[in-house]
């Protein structure tokens, strides 16, 4: 058996051809592929606008800039996430306040969020950054209700969840990133994610003002749109209106993303099929806690996280057998950088307990049944012995 990693990209001949075609064309960047990818992605998640960028972290930073996060602004973030979800606030000088997770869904806990908000005067916080952890879509409608009553914005970090949806209180299907509840939704196209562009990211929104700001900050804060210029100096004139960045994606990456997007749904189907097989195999033992999936949602399973008593033992045992499981995540508030900023071990007990036991088993669309059977076999033989 060759080594099996926890995630892996899937590149087809069609993907390769799409990239090669762009390499032979007139534009390597700032060409037509980006517009095509943005329109297709916006349609895929049901949003009005989509802005493609060079990675998911840049997508988060642009979102914080578009919402005008400033020095001292307090923003609530889940501790169960990749560092970038919180770092984007620090880039703008804001302060991160962590809100613990729900022990079953692993998402930012709505009751704990309400409790946190009610202990401070209104106006203390500016926004919330929940994460669709592992591909489990947040109840964005409930988050919106809370956000509205406290005047907060929402950046939804959906890097794990393109293609997910939940049913709202009227029973209507709400795709993650459709812009109905969250002000901005962020995606990543890193190779372990659902679709890849190598490095890449996207922000979706339904708000025309936020959309304009994303475009401006993506390209140095410079515009050449005649209707937005403050001065007229001639055809060459481009105007820098804000301090922006170069967060553009290239055309050959956008072409890869567009090609990958065509297979996004079949990738999710395969992931869900693999989950059924994992869950049914592990239902034979009470030594493995498998993920929950409530009614009325479509979980798209970026990760398959189990919990076991001896996580370190299982992790090492699997490595000995060429199975490279991973841990998602070390709780962010316990990282030295965030400890130095006033957080303490013990602040978020639910995620800290979760972290002692969690392990993400290999999951990606090209994982074969045979490879999965091998993984299942090794996991069961380890927990059987312990
Ligand atoms: C991958 C990821 C990011 C960052 O995306 P990059 O494209 O790697 O910059 C942010 N948040 C979450 C939850 C992620 O999984």
């Amino acid at each position: 058996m060759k080594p099996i990693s926890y995630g892996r990209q899937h590149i087809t001949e069609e993907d390769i051809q799409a990239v090669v075609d762009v390499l032979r064309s007139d534009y390597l960047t700032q060409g037509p592929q980006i517009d095509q990818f943005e329109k297709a992605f916006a349609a895929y998640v049901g949003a009005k606008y989509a802005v493609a960028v060079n990675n998911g972290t840049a997508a988060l930073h642009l979102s914080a800039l578009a919402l005008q996060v400033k020095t001292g602004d307090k923003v609530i973030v889940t501790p169960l996430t990749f560092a970038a979800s919180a770092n984007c606030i620090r880039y703008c000088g804001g302060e991160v306040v962590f809100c613990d997770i729900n022990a079953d869904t692993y998402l930012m806990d709505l009751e704990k969020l309400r409790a946190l908000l009610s202990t401070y005067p209104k106006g203390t916080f500016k926004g919330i950054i929940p994460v669709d952890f592992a591909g489990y879509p947040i109840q964005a409608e409930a988050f919106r209700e809370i956000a509205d009553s406290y005047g907060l914005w929402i950046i939804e970090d959906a890097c794990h969840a393109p293609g997910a949806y939940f049913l709202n209180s009227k029973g209507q299907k709400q795709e993650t990133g459709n812009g109905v509840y969250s002000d901005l939704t962020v995606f990543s196209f890193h190779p372990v994610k659902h679709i890849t562009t190598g490095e890449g990211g996207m922000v979706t929104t339904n708000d025309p003002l936020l959309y304009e700001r994303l475009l401006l900050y993506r390209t140095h804060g410079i515009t050449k749109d005649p209707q937005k210029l403050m001065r007229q100096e001639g055809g060459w004139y481009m105007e820098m209106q804000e301090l922006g960045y170069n967060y553009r994606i290239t055309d050959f990456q956008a072409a890869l993303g567009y090609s990958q997007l065509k297979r996004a749904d079949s990738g999710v189907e395969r992931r869900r099929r693999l989950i059924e097989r994992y869950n049914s195999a592990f239902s034979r033992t009470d030594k493995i806690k498998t993920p929950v999936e409530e009614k009325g949602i479509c979980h798209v399973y970026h990760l398959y996280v189990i919990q076991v008593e001896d996580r370190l033992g299982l992790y090492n045992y699997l490595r000995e057998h060429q199975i490279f499981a991973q841990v998602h995540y070390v709780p962010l508030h316990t990282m030295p950088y965030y400890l130095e900023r006033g957080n303490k071990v013990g602040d978020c007990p639910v995620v800290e307990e979760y972290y002692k036991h969690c392990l993400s088993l290999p999951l990606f669309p090209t994982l074969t049944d045979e490879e999965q059977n091998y993984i299942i076999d090794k996991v069961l033989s380890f927990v059987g012995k312990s």
Side-chain angles (χ1 to χ4, degrees):
M1 200 51 78
K2 62 178 171 38
I4 309 173
S5 61
Y6 87 87
R8 187 180 157 72
Q9 72 275 17
H10 179 213
I11 301 290
T12 63
E13 282 308 315
E14 202 183 329
D15 291 339
I16 293 167
Q17 195 53 52
V19 173
V20 169
D21 288 347
V22 177
L23 293 175
R24 295 208 168 95
S25 78
D26 292 335
Y27 293 96
L28 297 188
T29 191
Q30 294 179 277
Q33 297 298 324
I34 294 164
D35 190 49
Q36 174 178 263
F37 182 36
E38 288 176 341
K39 288 207 166 82
F41 195 87
Y44 181 63
V45 301
K48 283 195 187 132
Y49 310 106
V51 177
V53 292
N54 54 345
N55 58 64
T57 303
L60 283 158
H61 187 197
L62 274 188
S63 298
L65 289 166
L67 289 162
Q68 301 184 312
V69 174
K70 300 219 167 33
T71 304
D73 285 358
K74 288 191 169 59
V75 175
I76 301 172
V77 183
T78 172
L80 185 58
T81 189
F82 183 63
S85 316
N87 293 353
C88 64
I89 297 308
R90 297 289 307 138
Y91 298 155
C92 301
E95 297 298 328
V96 176
V97 178
F98 292 99
C99 174
D100 207 352
I101 60 164
N102 179 284
D104 296 318
T105 63
Y106 310 150
L107 304 178
M108 186 191 286
D109 188 88
L110 284 163
E111 286 316 311
K112 295 196 177 81
L113 175 63
R114 285 192 191 96
L116 174 65
L117 286 164
S118 69
T119 46
Y120 291 86
K122 268 199 180 178
T124 301
F125 299 100
K126 297 285 189 224
I128 329 171
I129 308 184
V131 175
D132 304 293
F133 177 76
Y136 197 127
I138 59 159
Q139 289 295 325
E141 186 182 31
F143 275 95
R144 184 78 260 168
E145 236 172 74
I146 297 173
D148 283 346
S149 56
Y150 285 87
L152 309 173
W153 47 252
I154 302 171
I155 299 174
E156 181 174 352
D157 182 338
C159 289
H160 296 182
Y165 62 80
F166 72 98
L167 301 181
N168 69 7
S169 53
K170 293 188 184 120
Q172 297 157 329
K173 181 173 157 180
Q174 299 293 323
E175 300 92 341
T176 295
N178 71 1
V180 173
Y181 301 108
S182 299
D183 297 278
L184 295 162
T185 306
V186 167
F187 298 88
S188 162
F189 307 129
H190 181 277
V192 297
K193 308 290 162 74
H194 284 75
I195 68 166
T196 189
T197 59
E199 298 280 357
M202 191 78 81
V203 186
T204 63
T205 186
N206 284 352
D207 183 325
L209 177 70
L210 292 177
Y211 174 61
E212 291 299 330
R213 288 198 195 138
L214 293 169
L215 294 179
L216 192 66
Y217 286 112
R218 176 175 65 176
T219 304
H220 309 280
I222 292 176
T223 182
K224 43 187 176 184
D225 181 343
Q227 304 197 325
K228 291 178 203 148
L229 296 178
M230 316 220 172
R231 307 204 298 257
Q232 302 292 336
E233 303 199 357
W236 66 85
Y237 182 65
M238 292 186 279
E239 196 168 78
M240 183 183 147
Q241 301 178 334
E242 294 285 343
L243 183 62
Y245 296 80
N246 179 355
Y247 280 167
R248 293 187 299 258
I249 194 169
T250 62
D251 266 54
F252 46 96
Q253 289 175 298
L256 178 57
Y258 182 74
S259 180
Q260 291 253 318
L261 191 58
K262 295 179 194 161
R263 293 198 312 283
D265 284 335
S266 63
V268 169
E269 268 167 48
R270 176 63 185 156
R271 283 170 185 273
R272 290 185 57 87
R273 175 76 193 113
L274 289 163
I275 292 313
E276 280 171 27
R277 297 182 83 248
Y278 270 141
N279 282 344
S280 90
F282 298 149
S283 67
R284 281 182 256 142
T285 169
D286 59 4
K287 291 182 171 165
I288 300 172
K289 181 177 185 230
T290 55
V292 301
E293 182 174 337
E294 292 162 312
K295 283 215 176 69
I297 66 156
C298 174
H299 188 321
V300 292
Y301 293 100
H302 163 57
L303 302 171
Y304 181 70
V305 181
I306 59 169
Q307 291 192 56
V308 292
E309 190 49 41
D310 180 11
R311 190 266 311 278
L312 179 62
L314 177 59
Y315 173 84
N316 287 335
Y317 178 82
L318 293 177
R319 276 183 87 93
E320 280 163 29
H321 292 89
Q322 297 292 298
I323 299 165
F324 296 89
Q326 190 46 285
V327 168
H328 296 91
Y329 293 94
V330 179
L332 194 52
H333 67 288
T334 70
M335 286 288 177
Y337 177 84
Y338 283 104
L339 288 177
E340 274 170 36
R341 275 162 185 77
N343 299 284
K344 293 187 301 298
V345 172
D347 281 353
C348 298
V350 180
V351 73
E352 289 170 33
E353 182 60 24
Y354 157 91
Y355 169 63
K356 290 179 190 153
H357 302 289
C358 69
L359 193 64
S360 308
L361 297 183
L363 179 68
F364 46 92
T366 54
L367 185 72
T368 64
D369 287 6
E370 190 198 1
E371 287 170 318
Q372 191 186 27
N373 292 342
Y374 172 76
I375 299 163
I376 289 169
D377 190 53
K378 293 293 173 242
V379 172
L380 287 176
S381 80
F382 181 84
V383 298
K385 276 184 282 186
S386 59

